[in-house]
């Protein structure tokens, strides 16, 4: 693996000092920010995430704040998910699409009030699209990046740790709901959410300068819980079927191809700019779709490019876009886009990697 | 320095195989793509660039293609530079701004025909802004990313090398002009441009599969010219005053603050969405502006965050955003944004880095 060159353009976060002190070994870049990927090793981090509790610097999930009378209208323009029933205090995973129905981002939206939303974005400059739409339609909203920086607490002991820092009331937050909690005299949004299947929270840290004090408080309070610095774990997120924008889906894909049809209400999402383009696919379904793919492999190279997927005779039928070897499942775990003719569970496939071809098959469900 | 984790999201380029074979040591990420930063060492690469010729994988300068009857109108909406006198065959460095006059990107635009342009972008998802504007104003254009991948040939021997591969006619291209040249039966745009002050060309390689054959042809033809793989060099580009979007300027800045007022014709750039916001600053000038800053230092840490700049008594007057030590000039060379009160050449400053404070002063011009 090559190194990553420092520059201001690859922005540090409020938690970078803590990340470095914890012995960060590797990063990726996400929304022009540093996102940790490895602390001890991907496998050690994986086991630890499933057993203990980790604090994750996910400040790269940058917030777009939308305020003003047209905030709700704008949000509905961005997504085919019908947001009319959404209440303040709720989070919603929202596929965001362009006028052709192509995915621009797959963020979590937080409804703070009828006229105030945050969009907690995946890796694309969604702000540019939102600003373009707002300007083009002369919408009555303010759009900006607030001084808010997500910090995730993930793992089976997350409730215990968070209770110690924010009080036991934090444990009452239901999945994809949020509440306001105080730290050092600052009120912050705390949501039960996060990019793992091990449970936990995301703290929307209000104010850059509150970052390291909160980081330190979590580590201080969690000493006996084996708290450690962590990050989204490649193996665990594939096992759990958590998609990654830019890896498993791009602007080429509709939400339906990404298996996100359940987050779309294309008939009723009136005003969504991609609605017309998605109407047919929402009725008839896509011709290719994301599937969990089990690979017969003890080791795999890093999936740094699309791996072609064929039927056993070599006919191309899809592509793998994320892959790793799972210690808990003893096989290669992968996310891929497969054509309808070959997406049924059990279908035998070949996955072509730079290290050779491997037998593989479509699974019914993800692993966790 | 930490490592960079592989993933499809950090996209490879048509030239990645060549980059790896040449012994790449470090990358940055630019437009979600891998951009090489170090081959032998930053200093070795620097000397070699000034003496010989290098082939650079700059495929991360992704193209946005704009085609259709409203192409010219759209281009003028994006920039305060008056484009009316621009002819097909010309390149133009164009500050692109939002409705507040904030910089969204600083690309090179290529006018291929009256109704066909390429925008060769710096590090932001400009496509999202362009698509939003096009949708909002219902412009009659197609906007897309073509299968075109820039490869730069830079250094004093660039003309010689390019002549051997594309024929001597390539040497007749004037600065910021382009022509069409054939390689392997494919016509490609070749421009006299590039992100160094050593002279050279950018080849807009048409077709992913033509990437490595052209890379190999350049290395084969340039053996006796000491051709080597290279990349934008931190030291050389600071010496030359080549700004970097995301480092030296962001959406916070107007073009005038970035010293790009000479590329703005705010009075006559009718239709530019940021025109009204920029009118006053274009008349009165900005209150802070980019300056070359010489630092009294033999070594400096990587400039991975804003370095505060103060007057000698500690009053904040600006920020350094790119810095390195120059072997040829025997001092620290830096790009910074300085307030009007302290931007005159010769003004003494202090630059605060993580390794301590250094004496510094404003220079009249960049070094090269």
């Amino acid at each position: 693996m090559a190194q990553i060159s420092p520059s201001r353009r690859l922005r540090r976060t409020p938690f970078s000092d803590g990340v470095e002190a914890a012995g960060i070994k590797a990063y990726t870049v996400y929304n022009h920010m540093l996102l940790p990927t490895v602390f001890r090793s991907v496998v050690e981090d994986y086991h630890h995430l499933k057993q203990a509790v980790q604090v994750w610097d996910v400040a790269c999930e940058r917030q777009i704040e939308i305020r003003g009378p047209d905030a709700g209208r704008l949000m509905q323009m961005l997504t085919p998910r019908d947001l009319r029933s959404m209440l303040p205090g709720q989070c919603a995973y929202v596929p965001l699409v362009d006028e052709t129905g192509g995915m621009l981002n797959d963020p979590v939206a937080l409804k703070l009030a009828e006229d105030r939303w945050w969009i907690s974005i995946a890796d694309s400059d969604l702000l540019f699209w939102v600003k373009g739409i707002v300007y083009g339609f002369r919408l009555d909203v303010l759009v900006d990046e607030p001084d808010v920086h997500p910090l995730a607490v993930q793992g089976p002991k997350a409730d215990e740790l968070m209770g110690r820092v924010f009080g036991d009331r934090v444990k009452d937050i239901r999945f994809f709901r949020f509440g306001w909690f105080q730290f050092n005299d600052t009120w912050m949004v705390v949501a039960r959410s996060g990019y793992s299947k091990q449970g936990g929270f995301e703290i929307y840290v209000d104010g850059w300068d509150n970052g390291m004090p909160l980081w330190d408080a979590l580590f201080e309070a969690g000493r006996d819980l084996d708290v450690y610095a962590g990050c989204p774990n490649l193996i665990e997120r594939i096992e759990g079927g958590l998609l990654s924008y830019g890896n498993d889906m791009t602007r080429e894909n509709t939400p339906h191809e990404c298996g996100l049809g359940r987050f779309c209400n294309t008939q009723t999402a009136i005003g969504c700019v991609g609605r017309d383009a998605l109407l047919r696919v929402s009725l008839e379904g896509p011709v290719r779709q994301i599937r969990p793919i089990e690979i017969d492999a003890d080791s795999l190279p890093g999936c740094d490019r699309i791996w072609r997927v064929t039927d056993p005779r070599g006919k191309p039928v899809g592509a793998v876009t994320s892959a790793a070897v799972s210690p808990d499942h003893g096989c290669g775990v992968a996310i891929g886009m497969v054509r309808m003719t070959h997406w049924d569970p059990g279908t035998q496939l070949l996955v072509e990697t730079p290290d050779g071809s491997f037998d593989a098959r479509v699974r019914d469900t993800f692993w966790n």
Side-chain angles (χ1 to χ4, degrees), chain A:
Chain A
M1 259 200 293
Q3 292 191 306
I4 188 165
S5 286
S7 70
R8 177 207 175 189
R9 190 171 50 77
L10 308 187
R11 291 179 289 180
R12 294 168 64 81
T13 83
F15 318 109
S16 291
D17 290 345
V19 161
E20 287 166 1
I24 181 73
K25 291 207 177 76
Y27 287 106
T28 187
V29 174
Y30 198 94
N31 283 324
H32 313 278
M33 284 189 110
L34 296 170
L35 171 60
T37 52
V38 184
F39 281 93
R40 293 183 276 207
S41 74
V42 175
V43 169
E44 280 176 276
D45 293 351
Y46 162 88
H47 289 305
H48 178 263
L49 170 60
K50 290 186 171 187
Q51 290 156 11
V53 57
Q54 296 183 345
V55 179
W56 293 5
D57 174 1
V58 286
C60 65
E61 295 170 8
R62 298 188 64 76
Q63 305 306 301
I64 299 175
E65 179 165 288
I66 296 171
R67 275 177 300 164
D70 283 340
R73 178 179 168 207
L74 171 59
M75 286 301 302
Q76 192 63 80
M77 290 179 77
L78 301 177
T79 181
R81 183 167 181 171
D82 189 335
L83 299 177
R84 281 177 297 179
S85 61
M86 196 171 163
L87 299 171
Q90 291 184 348
C91 309
Y93 179 71
V94 282
L96 303 192
V97 298
D98 67 14
E99 76 285 1
T100 73
M103 295 282 295
L104 295 180
N105 204 289
D106 70 325
V108 172
L110 289 80
K111 185 170 183 175
L112 302 170
E114 288 300 330
D115 59 355
R116 187 172 174 223
W117 299 67
W118 285 346
I119 311 177
S120 192
I121 64 172
D123 183 35
S124 72
D125 294 336
L126 185 73
L127 182 67
F128 281 31
W129 170 250
V130 174
K131 280 174 64 77
I133 293 294
V134 167
Y135 185 75
F137 286 86
R138 303 245 180 269
L139 298 183
D140 213 3
V141 290
L142 293 175
V143 178
D144 224 324
E145 289 193 331
D147 182 19
V148 168
H149 313 274
L151 184 69
V153 177
Q154 301 283 302
K157 298 179 184 168
D159 273 63
E160 177 60 26
L161 176 56
M162 286 291 285
R164 293 182 188 179
V165 172
F166 287 98
D168 278 343
R169 193 172 60 85
V170 83
K171 300 179 188 174
D172 297 334
I173 305 174
R174 285 179 295 151
F175 185 66
F176 260 52
R177 296 292 201 281
F178 66 83
W180 293 86
F181 292 83
Q182 214 169 3
F183 175 78
N184 276 2
D185 298 330
T186 305
W187 290 94
M188 300 180 181
V189 166
V190 177
R192 191 179 287 274
S193 58
Y195 196 65
S196 88
K197 290 281 187 177
Q198 307 309 313
F201 301 86
E202 287 177 302
I203 309 160
Y204 290 77
V205 179
D206 192 316
W208 182 285
D209 292 341
N210 283 318
M212 280 311 298
L214 177 56
W215 176 281
D216 290 337
L218 287 162
F219 280 85
E220 181 64 30
R223 271 189 206 173
D224 61 312
L225 300 176
D226 189 24
V227 64
Y228 205 79
C231 47
N233 183 274
L234 179 68
I235 310 168
E236 197 269 349
R237 76 111 177 144
I238 296 174
E239 288 178 356
L242 296 172
L243 306 185
S244 166
Y245 186 77
N247 283 315
D248 307 313
M249 54 186 149
T250 71
R251 201 164 52 85
E252 302 289 308
N253 305 116
T254 63
H256 305 79
E257 287 178 350
C258 304
L260 305 178
R262 66 187 184 282
F263 299 107
C264 298
N265 315 86
T266 313
Q267 288 287 349
T268 61
I270 297 164
C272 169
V273 304
R275 179 176 176 269
D276 295 351
L278 289 175
L279 268 177
R280 280 179 201 283
V281 75
S282 75
L283 292 172
E284 294 161 20
V287 296
R288 57 180 181 175
Q289 200 168 52
I290 277 182
R291 285 289 182 272
I293 296 172
E294 184 166 307
I295 304 177
D296 297 339
D298 300 326
S299 79
L300 286 169
C303 188
D304 64 353
R305 66 199 84 180
I306 284 178
W307 291 348
R308 203 164 73 130
V309 173
T310 70
D311 74 5
R313 280 170 299 185
K315 184 181 137 198
V317 299
V320 156
T321 49
S322 295
V325 171
S326 163
D328 284 354
H329 297 281
C331 63
V333 294
I335 297 174
M337 187 74 73
V338 184
R339 289 188 69 80
M340 178 184 253
T341 50
H342 290 75
W343 73 24
D344 288 339
T347 307
Q348 286 292 320
L349 302 171
L350 274 178
V351 176
E352 298 177 0
T353 81
D355 290 1
S357 288
F358 294 89
D359 288 322
R361 71 201 54 79
V362 177
R363 277 178 58 97
D364 189 15
T365 59
F366 283 94
W367 289 262
N368 285 335

